[in-house]
Amino acid sequence: QQPVQSPQAVILREGEDAVINCSSSKALYSVHWYRQKHGEAPVFLMILLKGGEQKGHEKISASFNEKKQQSSLYLTASQLSYSGTYFCGTDGSGTYKYIFGTGTRLKVLA
Amino acid sequence: DAEITQSPRHKITETGRQVTLACHQTWNHNNMFWYRQDLGHGLRLIHYSYGVQDTNKGEVSDGYSVSRSNTEDLPLTLESAASSQTSVYFCASSSGGPSGANVLTFGAGSRLTVL
């Protein structure tokens, strides 16, 4: 079953912050985050392998709560270039069956 | 440079016709995947393969089939196209390293319209 992301869509002004959540009904052993620009393929942002791990990429960071089976993506001081659809992804418990969350559409306005 | 290519990029077909979408990667990756993308559903897994002669069903495999005769290619076949299969299809591959650490590389996508 797909992880559920929230919110489904968000609109920001440049410089504002946003949080995107990813929640799974099954145990998460790792969480990956991807960004997809309109009309393009998804591109890998970051991977979190351990519960409690946090990572950053530019002004984008993420956390992973293994016990709650949740991950959150934090976008700080958003830029126009952050617009796109964000997906969390996971390859499950020791398999390579790679599934994605439902996606969050983010639009940053000038 | 290594790459993953999909063809055709755009296809219009009629209900009931057989359609094959090609995916070719030069990364020498063991794992290959097919997804469909629809608004409100994100990316849904159709089929995946761990290597030559291996194929597995994903979450939405009904009406689709794949075969893996070599490392580079994983064609997706719609046996009898239906309007519900109108979608954007993405092929992806990964190296097959430690589970949990696999990063997917995507093709540019194939937009299929079934009339």
Side-chain angles (χ1 to χ4, degrees):
Chain A
Q1 190 169 356
Q2 280 184 291
V4 176
Q5 291 182 229
S6 62
Q8 287 187 325
V10 58
I11 299 175
L12 302 171
R13 292 282 181 186
E14 263 188 305
E16 292 182 339
D17 301 339
V19 180
I20 299 172
N21 299 304
C22 174
S23 181
S24 175
S25 59
K26 295 183 177 181
L28 288 173
Y29 295 87
S30 68
V31 177
H32 310 180
W33 285 95
Y34 289 75
R35 178 170 62 200
Q36 183 182 30
K37 300 280 190 177
H38 182 69
E40 300 180 6
V43 173
F44 171 75
L45 287 177
M46 67 185 76
I47 182 172
L48 300 100
L49 292 173
K50 298 178 183 178
E53 185 173 19
Q54 297 190 22
K55 281 199 172 179
H57 173 80
E58 299 172 344
K59 292 185 179 179
I60 301 173
S61 61
S63 64
F64 177 24
N65 187 322
E66 194 173 5
K67 288 184 179 180
K68 291 186 178 180
Q69 298 169 186
Q70 292 176 346
S71 177
S72 295
L73 188 71
Y74 306 93
L75 297 95
T76 305
S78 58
Q79 306 168 13
L80 294 175
S81 62
Y82 288 178
S83 292
T85 302
Y86 289 80
F87 293 100
C88 62
T90 182
D91 68 355
S93 56
T95 74
Y96 298 117
K97 182 180 179 181
Y98 204 102
I99 60 173
F100 286 91
T102 48
T104 296
R105 296 192 309 280
L106 185 138
K107 188 171 179 64
V108 181
L109 302 176
Chain B
D1 289 347
E3 60 183 0
I4 177 167
T5 55
Q6 293 183 230
S7 62
R9 295 292 313 281
H10 301 274
K11 173 96 178 158
I12 300 174
T13 191
E14 295 177 342
T15 301
R17 288 189 180 268
Q18 184 182 78
V19 176
T20 297
L21 305 180
C23 177
H24 178 80
Q25 54 99 2
T26 57
W27 289 97
N28 199 33
H29 283 167
N30 289 326
N31 300 338
M32 295 185 72
F33 307 82
W34 273 104
Y35 297 89
R36 60 176 290 174
Q37 184 171 24
D38 306 285
L39 194 62
H41 295 281
L43 291 158
R44 292 183 290 176
L45 182 62
I46 305 172
H47 282 286
Y48 59 106
S49 168
Y50 293 157
V52 177
Q53 302 302 330
D54 175 80
T55 61
N56 305 278
K57 293 182 178 181
E59 315 299 302
V60 290
S61 61
D62 287 349
Y64 303 94
S65 63
V66 293
S67 61
R68 187 90 179 269
S69 59
N70 57 52
T71 301
E72 297 80 16
D73 299 289
L74 187 70
L76 177 72
T77 298
L78 288 69
E79 303 294 343
S80 178
S83 58
S84 60
Q85 295 177 307
T86 292
S87 186
V88 179
Y89 292 85
F90 284 98
C91 178
S93 67
S94 70
S95 62
S99 178
N102 267 248
V103 175
L104 264 60
T105 301
F106 283 85
S110 294
R111 182 176 295 275
L112 177 67
T113 301
V114 183
L115 301 176

